[in-house]
Amino acid sequence: MKKFLIVTLLTVLPILSFAKAPDCVSWPMNMSEVWLKNAGIVDIKNLDESKTKITLLASEKKAKGLYTQIYHFIFYDEKGNSYEIITNSDASYEECSMSDVDVYLISKLISDIYKQEKK
């Protein structure tokens, strides 16, 4: 019984010690859309935000309540094309835009329908 209690405590305590990261998806998402537009890849007005897939890949607590957050976004436009982005930025509970957002385009898939229209 004593071993069970120790194993349970060792399993549960580390989980309880992790602080919840700030919910700051809007800052890197908006900066990603602006980046896509400024790079001439796709206009923001052509993106279908209802289809956007968002995953928080990592959130690391740094000094004084600052978190480095890594997000993975998949944006879709009205023609079915997709744009896969990874972002890196710093956030806190008080302010999501504690740093610039580093944006990395890792995939751009053009739908077959769009390719056929271009021919």
Side-chain angles (χ1 to χ4, degrees):
M1 182 66 173
K2 203 175 199 180
K3 283 184 181 180
F4 176 75
L5 182 59
I6 291 171
V7 170
T8 302
L9 287 174
L10 290 175
T11 304
V12 174
L13 287 178
I15 294 169
L16 295 175
S17 68
F18 291 119
K20 185 178 183 296
D23 183 18
C24 286
V25 68
S26 62
W27 173 245
M29 183 173 166
N30 291 338
M31 293 299 99
S32 296
E33 292 171 339
V34 168
W35 184 89
L36 286 167
K37 180 181 184 238
N38 290 344
I41 296 170
V42 65
D43 198 337
I44 296 169
K45 65 183 177 191
N46 295 329
L47 293 176
D48 184 351
E49 282 199 23
S50 68
K51 293 182 181 177
T52 300
K53 295 181 182 175
I54 304 165
T55 306
L56 176 61
L57 297 177
S59 184
E60 178 184 13
K61 186 173 182 181
K62 295 164 63 170
K64 298 181 182 177
L66 194 63
Y67 291 79
T68 296
Q69 297 188 321
I70 311 290
Y71 278 96
H72 176 237
F73 298 99
I74 304 175
F75 297 101
Y76 295 90
D77 67 18
E78 298 164 344
K79 295 181 179 179
N81 304 320
S82 65
Y83 311 91
E84 200 167 351
I85 300 280
I86 298 285
T87 64
N88 175 36
S89 61
D90 291 338
S92 72
Y93 285 104
E94 291 79 33
E95 180 64 45
C96 288
S97 57
M98 294 298 287
S99 73
D100 290 338
V101 178
D102 297 323
V103 179
Y104 305 96
L105 178 67
I106 59 172
S107 174
K108 179 172 86 170
L109 297 175
I110 307 301
S111 76
D112 289 335
I113 296 168
Y114 182 68
K115 287 178 188 174
Q116 291 172 1
E117 289 176 2
K118 290 282 226 180
K119 291 182 179 180

